[in-house]
Amino acid sequence: MTTTGPVTGARDLALAHYAARGVLERVLARHGMTFQQQVALRAAITAETPQTPDALAAQVEHSLKADPAGIRATLDELLTRRLLAEEGAHLRPTDTGRELMAAVAEETAPITARVWGDIPAADLAATGRVLALVTERANAALAELG
């Protein structure tokens, strides 16, 4: 089998993840926001219907593999900052929360375009398949670990 580039592995994936996350975290810091807050707020914004705190916390926990107590604290922070609001038994993003996420997206868009823009579609498709498989296998391994 011949390859046209270096063979990649877990370390390369981790380095790419942390480089991209580092960019996002710097932008988020300018807006007084943490990565976990952004993930939780984005989950609330992209949900088809308002989520209960339990459902939103479970979604963030599944995405980040983070401590449930820390996620609950994050939801409380978003409520305190009025980026999320309680609506009966549900949480919904506020206009302020939506505006903040739009500002972050606008600020990161040119960087994202620079990072991803000229990667051939076939390479992105192959990368997507590999990342989906890695995610599936890692989630299974994590479930086995309990």
Side-chain angles (χ1 to χ4, degrees):
M1 178 174 137
T2 60
T3 61
T4 58
V7 175
T8 193
R11 183 173 188 280
D12 299 309
L13 175 61
L15 291 173
H17 164 76
Y18 284 116
R21 183 171 167 170
V23 169
L24 178 57
E25 286 182 338
R26 289 207 182 158
V27 172
L28 291 170
R30 289 197 275 258
H31 294 275
M33 193 169 206
T34 67
F35 182 75
Q36 190 159 297
Q37 289 171 340
Q38 179 265 342
V39 171
L41 185 55
R42 178 180 300 278
I45 289 171
T46 59
E48 290 184 21
T49 60
Q51 301 291 299
T52 64
D54 287 343
L56 188 55
Q59 185 177 350
V60 175
E61 182 181 353
H62 178 74
S63 294
L64 296 181
K65 314 308 184 246
D67 173 50
I71 295 167
R72 290 299 184 152
T74 295
L75 295 180
D76 289 342
E77 293 162 2
L78 294 171
L79 285 163
T80 298
R81 290 186 60 191
R82 294 186 169 94
L83 301 173
L84 286 178
E86 293 177 303
E87 187 175 84
H90 297 91
L91 299 177
R92 66 167 178 77
T94 63
D95 290 342
T96 303
R98 290 178 187 281
E99 290 166 6
L100 176 59
M101 289 303 293
V104 168
E106 184 177 329
E107 196 170 333
T108 57
I111 300 166
T112 300
R114 248 188 355 257
V115 170
W116 291 91
D118 64 349
I119 299 174
D123 289 349
L124 291 174
T127 300
R129 289 189 301 273
V130 170
L131 291 176
L133 182 58
V134 168
T135 300
E136 178 184 321
R137 289 176 177 178
N139 281 336
L142 191 57
E144 288 173 7
L145 293 172

